[in-house]
Tab-separated table of all heavy atoms in Angstrom:
chain	number	residue	atom	x	y	z
A	49	ASP	N	108.116	93.949	109.449
A	49	ASP	CA	108.032	95.385	109.738
A	49	ASP	C	107.775	96.169	108.452
A	49	ASP	O	106.959	97.107	108.435
A	49	ASP	CB	109.325	95.883	110.398
A	49	ASP	CG	109.466	95.398	111.831
A	49	ASP	OD1	108.437	95.003	112.429
A	49	ASP	OD2	110.595	95.409	112.354
A	50	ASN	N	108.457	95.786	107.381
A	50	ASN	CA	108.278	96.468	106.092
A	50	ASN	C	106.890	96.220	105.517
A	50	ASN	O	106.299	97.113	104.894
A	50	ASN	CB	109.352	96.021	105.099
A	50	ASN	CG	110.729	96.541	105.451
A	50	ASN	OD1	110.854	97.583	106.106
A	50	ASN	ND2	111.759	95.827	105.021
A	51	ILE	N	106.374	95.013	105.711
A	51	ILE	CA	105.014	94.692	105.250
A	51	ILE	C	103.995	95.564	105.983
A	51	ILE	O	103.106	96.161	105.358
A	51	ILE	CB	104.694	93.190	105.467
A	51	ILE	CG1	105.537	92.330	104.535
A	51	ILE	CG2	103.204	92.928	105.237
A	51	ILE	CD1	105.406	90.835	104.786
A	52	ARG	N	104.151	95.659	107.300
A	52	ARG	CA	103.214	96.471	108.105
A	52	ARG	C	103.288	97.941	107.696
A	52	ARG	O	102.250	98.607	107.585
A	52	ARG	CB	103.547	96.316	109.587
A	52	ARG	CG	103.283	94.934	110.151
A	52	ARG	CD	103.475	94.914	111.665
A	52	ARG	NE	103.521	93.549	112.173
A	52	ARG	CZ	104.653	92.927	112.504
A	52	ARG	NH1	105.820	93.552	112.395
A	52	ARG	NH2	104.612	91.685	112.967
A	53	ALA	N	104.506	98.424	107.469
A	53	ALA	CA	104.689	99.828	107.098
A	53	ALA	C	104.022	100.126	105.759
A	53	ALA	O	103.363	101.172	105.600
A	53	ALA	CB	106.179	100.163	107.028
A	54	PHE	N	104.136	99.193	104.796
A	54	PHE	CA	103.543	99.426	103.479
A	54	PHE	C	102.020	99.333	103.536
A	54	PHE	O	101.324	100.113	102.881
A	54	PHE	CB	104.094	98.427	102.463
A	54	PHE	CG	103.653	98.712	101.053
A	54	PHE	CD1	104.088	99.854	100.379
A	54	PHE	CD2	102.777	97.850	100.397
A	54	PHE	CE1	103.658	100.120	99.086
A	54	PHE	CE2	102.353	98.112	99.104
A	54	PHE	CZ	102.800	99.256	98.447
A	55	ARG	N	101.520	98.398	104.319
A	55	ARG	CA	100.058	98.273	104.441
A	55	ARG	C	99.464	99.507	105.119
A	55	ARG	O	98.371	99.962	104.764
A	55	ARG	CB	99.712	97.010	105.229
A	55	ARG	CG	99.882	95.741	104.409
A	55	ARG	CD	99.604	94.496	105.218
A	55	ARG	NE	99.723	93.300	104.387
A	55	ARG	CZ	99.738	92.061	104.861
A	55	ARG	NH1	99.619	91.857	106.182
A	55	ARG	NH2	99.855	91.030	104.055
A	56	LYS	N	100.179	100.040	106.104
A	56	LYS	CA	99.741	101.275	106.772
A	56	LYS	C	99.706	102.421	105.760
A	56	LYS	O	98.747	103.212	105.722
A	56	LYS	CB	100.690	101.611	107.919
A	56	LYS	CG	100.301	102.859	108.696
A	56	LYS	CD	101.310	103.159	109.802
A	56	LYS	CE	100.934	104.452	110.532
A	56	LYS	NZ	101.943	104.802	111.566
A	57	TYR	N	100.734	102.492	104.927
A	57	TYR	CA	100.792	103.528	103.879
A	57	TYR	C	99.625	103.369	102.911
A	57	TYR	O	98.988	104.366	102.530
A	57	TYR	CB	102.130	103.430	103.144
A	57	TYR	CG	102.153	104.143	101.824
A	57	TYR	CD1	102.215	105.541	101.763
A	57	TYR	CD2	102.113	103.420	100.624
A	57	TYR	CE1	102.235	106.199	100.537
A	57	TYR	CE2	102.130	104.072	99.408
A	57	TYR	CZ	102.181	105.457	99.364
A	57	TYR	OH	102.191	106.108	98.157
A	58	GLN	N	99.328	102.134	102.516
A	58	GLN	CA	98.220	101.882	101.582
A	58	GLN	C	96.879	102.358	102.167
A	58	GLN	O	96.068	102.971	101.466
A	58	GLN	CB	98.140	100.393	101.243
A	58	GLN	CG	99.197	99.923	100.259
A	58	GLN	CD	99.053	98.450	99.934
A	58	GLN	OE1	98.947	97.616	100.845
A	58	GLN	NE2	99.042	98.117	98.660
A	59	LYS	N	96.660	102.064	103.445
A	59	LYS	CA	95.412	102.483	104.104
A	59	LYS	C	95.307	104.004	104.157
A	59	LYS	O	94.229	104.578	103.928
A	59	LYS	CB	95.344	101.901	105.513
A	59	LYS	CG	95.065	100.413	105.538
A	59	LYS	CD	95.027	99.878	106.962
A	59	LYS	CE	94.771	98.374	106.973
A	59	LYS	NZ	94.777	97.828	108.361
A	60	GLU	N	96.419	104.654	104.465
A	60	GLU	CA	96.426	106.122	104.527
A	60	GLU	C	96.146	106.716	103.152
A	60	GLU	O	95.413	107.720	103.045
A	60	GLU	CB	97.773	106.612	105.053
A	60	GLU	CG	97.992	106.328	106.538
A	60	GLU	CD	99.392	106.655	107.004
A	60	GLU	OE1	100.246	106.968	106.139
A	60	GLU	OE2	99.649	106.593	108.226
A	61	ARG	N	96.705	106.106	102.108
A	61	ARG	CA	96.468	106.591	100.744
A	61	ARG	C	95.009	106.418	100.356
A	61	ARG	O	94.424	107.281	99.697
A	61	ARG	CB	97.359	105.836	99.741
A	61	ARG	CG	98.783	106.308	99.700
A	61	ARG	CD	98.933	107.730	99.170
A	61	ARG	NE	98.442	107.835	97.797
A	61	ARG	CZ	97.804	108.874	97.311
A	61	ARG	NH1	97.514	109.912	98.103
A	61	ARG	NH2	97.428	108.920	96.046
A	62	GLU	N	94.422	105.298	100.743
A	62	GLU	CA	93.006	105.055	100.441
A	62	GLU	C	92.117	106.098	101.112
A	62	GLU	O	91.149	106.595	100.517
A	62	GLU	CB	92.610	103.651	100.902
A	62	GLU	CG	93.133	102.551	99.997
A	62	GLU	CD	92.856	101.161	100.536
A	62	GLU	OE1	92.129	101.068	101.549
A	62	GLU	OE2	93.371	100.189	99.964
A	63	LYS	N	92.452	106.458	102.366
A	63	LYS	CA	91.694	107.489	103.084
A	63	LYS	C	91.846	108.839	102.398
A	63	LYS	O	90.880	109.590	102.259
A	63	LYS	CB	92.178	107.581	104.528
A	63	LYS	CG	91.722	106.423	105.403
A	63	LYS	CD	92.242	106.588	106.826
A	63	LYS	CE	91.805	105.423	107.705
A	63	LYS	NZ	92.344	105.544	109.080
A	64	GLU	N	93.059	109.161	101.959
A	64	GLU	CA	93.317	110.425	101.260
A	64	GLU	C	92.524	110.503	99.964
A	64	GLU	O	91.933	111.537	99.641
A	64	GLU	CB	94.812	110.574	100.961
A	64	GLU	CG	95.671	110.879	102.180
A	64	GLU	CD	97.148	110.907	101.843
A	64	GLU	OE1	97.487	110.855	100.645
A	64	GLU	OE2	97.973	110.971	102.780
A	65	LYS	N	92.500	109.412	99.220
A	65	LYS	CA	91.762	109.369	97.957
A	65	LYS	C	90.266	109.536	98.199
A	65	LYS	O	89.568	110.228	97.442
A	65	LYS	CB	92.028	108.050	97.225
A	65	LYS	CG	93.404	107.958	96.600
A	65	LYS	CD	93.587	106.616	95.901
A	65	LYS	CE	94.973	106.495	95.298
A	65	LYS	NZ	95.194	105.182	94.651
A	66	GLU	N	89.783	108.885	99.249
A	66	GLU	CA	88.365	108.983	99.590
A	66	GLU	C	88.002	110.411	99.977
A	66	GLU	O	86.961	110.939	99.552
A	66	GLU	CB	88.047	108.033	100.753
A	66	GLU	CG	86.559	107.914	101.044
A	66	GLU	CD	86.255	106.928	102.148
A	66	GLU	OE1	87.135	106.077	102.452
A	66	GLU	OE2	85.150	107.015	102.706
A	67	THR	N	88.882	111.075	100.747
A	67	THR	CA	88.660	112.471	101.160
A	67	THR	C	88.674	113.386	99.932
A	67	THR	O	87.828	114.279	99.799
A	67	THR	CB	89.756	112.920	102.161
A	67	THR	OG1	89.735	112.033	103.280
A	67	THR	CG2	89.510	114.335	102.606
A	68	GLU	N	89.628	113.163	99.029
A	68	GLU	CA	89.734	113.975	97.815
A	68	GLU	C	88.502	113.795	96.943
A	68	GLU	O	88.011	114.747	96.326
A	68	GLU	CB	90.994	113.575	97.033
A	68	GLU	CG	92.293	114.025	97.705
A	68	GLU	CD	93.524	113.433	97.032
A	68	GLU	OE1	93.354	112.731	96.010
A	68	GLU	OE2	94.636	113.686	97.517
A	69	PHE	N	87.992	112.546	96.859
A	69	PHE	CA	86.811	112.258	96.049
A	69	PHE	C	85.586	112.987	96.594
A	69	PHE	O	84.817	113.598	95.860
A	69	PHE	CB	86.570	110.745	95.997
A	69	PHE	CG	85.324	110.354	95.257
A	69	PHE	CD1	85.263	110.460	93.872
A	69	PHE	CD2	84.193	109.926	95.943
A	69	PHE	CE1	84.104	110.126	93.193
A	69	PHE	CE2	83.032	109.582	95.270
A	69	PHE	CZ	83.005	109.672	93.876
A	70	LYS	N	85.428	112.932	97.937
A	70	LYS	CA	84.280	113.602	98.561
A	70	LYS	C	84.352	115.109	98.382
A	70	LYS	O	83.341	115.761	98.153
A	70	LYS	CB	84.226	113.249	100.048
A	70	LYS	CG	83.792	111.834	100.332
A	70	LYS	CD	83.793	111.530	101.828
A	70	LYS	CE	83.329	110.104	102.089
A	70	LYS	NZ	83.360	109.770	103.540
A	71	ALA	N	85.596	115.642	98.471
A	71	ALA	CA	85.802	117.084	98.294
A	71	ALA	C	85.452	117.510	96.876
A	71	ALA	O	84.926	118.611	96.643
A	71	ALA	CB	87.225	117.456	98.636
A	72	SER	N	85.751	116.642	95.912
A	72	SER	CA	85.462	116.968	94.487
A	72	SER	C	83.967	117.013	94.226
A	72	SER	O	83.499	117.670	93.296
A	72	SER	CB	86.141	115.954	93.564
A	72	SER	OG	85.565	114.684	93.699
């Protein structure tokens, strides 16, 4: 459960970074 939760967090962070990069 903890592994899944962290991987989900990692994917969300990657999407956020990608959105921030495109916005820049």
Side-chain angles (χ1 to χ4, degrees):
D49 288 341
N50 290 334
I51 291 173
R52 292 187 193 102
F54 187 67
R55 284 177 178 169
K56 181 182 178 183
Y57 163 74
Q58 284 181 310
K59 287 179 181 178
E60 289 173 352
R61 281 294 299 143
E62 285 174 7
K63 286 180 181 178
E64 287 175 9
K65 287 180 181 178
E66 188 177 341
T67 302
E68 288 171 3
F69 176 72
K70 288 178 179 178
S72 67

